[in-house]
Amino acid sequence: MTSYLRQKWQSFQIGTSESEDVQEEALNSENKEEIERSKIGIMRAVVQAQDPSAKDVDDLMIRRFLRARDLDVEKASAMLLKYLKWRKEFVPNGFISPAEIPNDLAHNKLFMQGYDKTGRPIVVVFAARHKPTTVEEFKRFVTFTLDKICARMPSGHEKFTAIADLQGWGYANSDIRGYLAALSILQDCYPERLGKLFIIHVPYIFMTAWKMVYPFIDKNTKKKIIFVEDKKLQSTLLEDIDESQLPDTFGGKTKLVPIQEC
């Protein structure tokens, strides 16, 4: 075979391989969607049989719970039923009022403004502004915040991007019980809502608290957490967030808005 024919043959093989890969990926995607649709129907029947109020739950929520449990219908159903029970008991009015969380709101520690390059809303928390309150109030604050974020979710999106700024964080801000309560609510009651979490300006002493919290983070959440080096801060954030949408405190052009004003 001449070198010319060999090159042509190799380019044909590469092109064919790439085409087959694309077709296989599309087929796998279609199969996954079909499996998910089937399991959503099964899970809806299982959950509604035990809690008729589940009829108001949309397919997207059921899918999030399914994905959080790797499409295991039994585990996802138990998770959703537990959430529905929690919601009725913990948020009996259907929402958390700012009057129920005065101390946490006064810290002015959590903001939301702008969207990342995929269209996800951006949430920013300044951890050094947090001062431990009661665990119950902090749980209400976390629920209030996540409800606000979900309400602002653009059509076609289910996840948000978060930036946790730890600059100035010290032992006075450490709140292990609060962190674990927040993590439990995020993972168990709002599964598959977090898209990505950038943790920035991390002081060395924070790792003591991190080691205590880390074992409670599930494998799906762990994949979404990124510790950012100070020297790569802006370049890393700009990979996911356009400068026009990046908060001005990180070198962008967007003014942050307190979560209670969103």
Side-chain angles (χ1 to χ4, degrees):
M1 183 182 292
T2 66
S3 59
Y4 171 76
L5 289 175
R6 186 179 296 109
Q7 289 176 354
K8 295 294 286 183
W9 172 246
Q10 288 174 341
S11 66
F12 170 76
Q13 286 183 308
I14 292 171
T16 301
S17 177
E18 289 177 348
S19 176
E20 289 174 348
D21 288 344
V22 170
Q23 290 176 353
E24 183 177 354
E25 186 176 336
L27 185 61
N28 288 338
S29 178
E30 288 178 8
N31 288 340
K32 182 182 178 182
E33 289 179 7
E34 186 176 339
I35 290 170
E36 284 186 340
R37 281 195 298 269
S38 173
K39 292 197 173 188
I40 286 171
I42 296 170
M43 182 171 159
R44 178 177 291 284
V46 169
V47 175
Q48 282 188 208
Q50 298 181 61
D51 186 343
S53 71
K55 69 180 186 303
D56 298 324
V57 174
D58 63 27
D59 286 353
L60 292 177
M61 176 178 280
I62 292 177
R63 187 177 68 178
R64 288 194 297 272
F65 278 80
L66 266 172
R67 288 178 174 178
R69 290 296 177 265
D70 299 321
L71 303 187
D72 185 310
V73 172
E74 184 177 353
K75 291 180 180 179
S77 296
M79 185 185 187
L80 180 53
L81 284 165
K82 185 178 178 181
Y83 161 76
L84 292 171
K85 182 175 184 294
W86 168 84
R87 187 79 190 183
K88 291 171 188 173
E89 296 173 352
F90 195 70
V91 195
N93 297 323
F95 64 93
I96 300 293
S97 166
E100 298 177 67
I101 49 174
N103 298 305
D104 277 292
L105 288 180
H107 295 160
N108 204 34
K109 59 194 170 189
L110 205 146
F111 301 78
M112 182 168 67
Q113 187 72 340
Y115 300 89
D116 71 8
K117 291 179 180 178
T118 68
R120 297 170 177 169
I122 299 168
V123 178
V124 179
V125 57
F126 295 100
R129 298 183 186 181
H130 174 71
K131 300 294 187 293
T133 55
T134 66
V135 174
E136 285 304 304
E137 179 175 338
F138 189 57
K139 285 162 66 175
R140 289 195 295 271
F141 174 72
V142 172
T143 303
F144 170 87
T145 296
L146 289 169
D147 282 350
K148 280 276 191 178
I149 295 169
C150 293
R152 287 285 302 275
M153 205 74 69
S155 177
H157 291 273
E158 299 178 68
K159 300 184 179 185
F160 66 93
T161 292
I163 302 172
D165 189 343
L166 273 56
Q167 189 161 37
W169 185 94
Y171 288 125
N173 312 112
S174 184
D175 186 9
I176 302 302
R177 290 178 65 198
Y179 299 157
L180 292 176
L183 181 64
S184 176
I185 291 173
L186 174 66
Q187 294 183 158
D188 299 337
C189 303
Y190 297 82
E192 294 300 304
R193 282 299 196 178
L194 177 65
K196 190 173 288 188
L197 168 61
F198 295 99
I199 302 180
I200 67 175
H201 297 142
V202 183
Y204 181 75
I205 58 172
F206 174 74
M207 300 316 294
T208 302
W210 179 252
K211 288 177 182 178
M212 298 176 71
V213 174
Y214 187 78
F216 297 92
I217 305 175
D218 68 34
K219 61 181 178 61
N220 290 331
T221 304
K222 285 176 180 174
K223 296 174 186 176
K224 302 169 184 177
I225 300 173
I226 301 169
F227 280 86
V228 183
E229 295 180 54
D230 289 353
K231 62 183 179 181
K232 297 180 180 179
L233 175 58
Q234 193 168 31
S235 62
T236 300
L237 293 179
L238 287 173
E239 287 179 7
D240 285 72
I241 306 168
D242 190 79
E243 185 181 7
S244 65
Q245 299 295 306
L246 187 67
D248 55 4
T249 188
F250 305 128
K253 299 180 180 179
T254 300
K255 298 288 184 182
L256 289 173
V257 178
I259 189 67
Q260 62 269 30
E261 297 177 15
C262 293

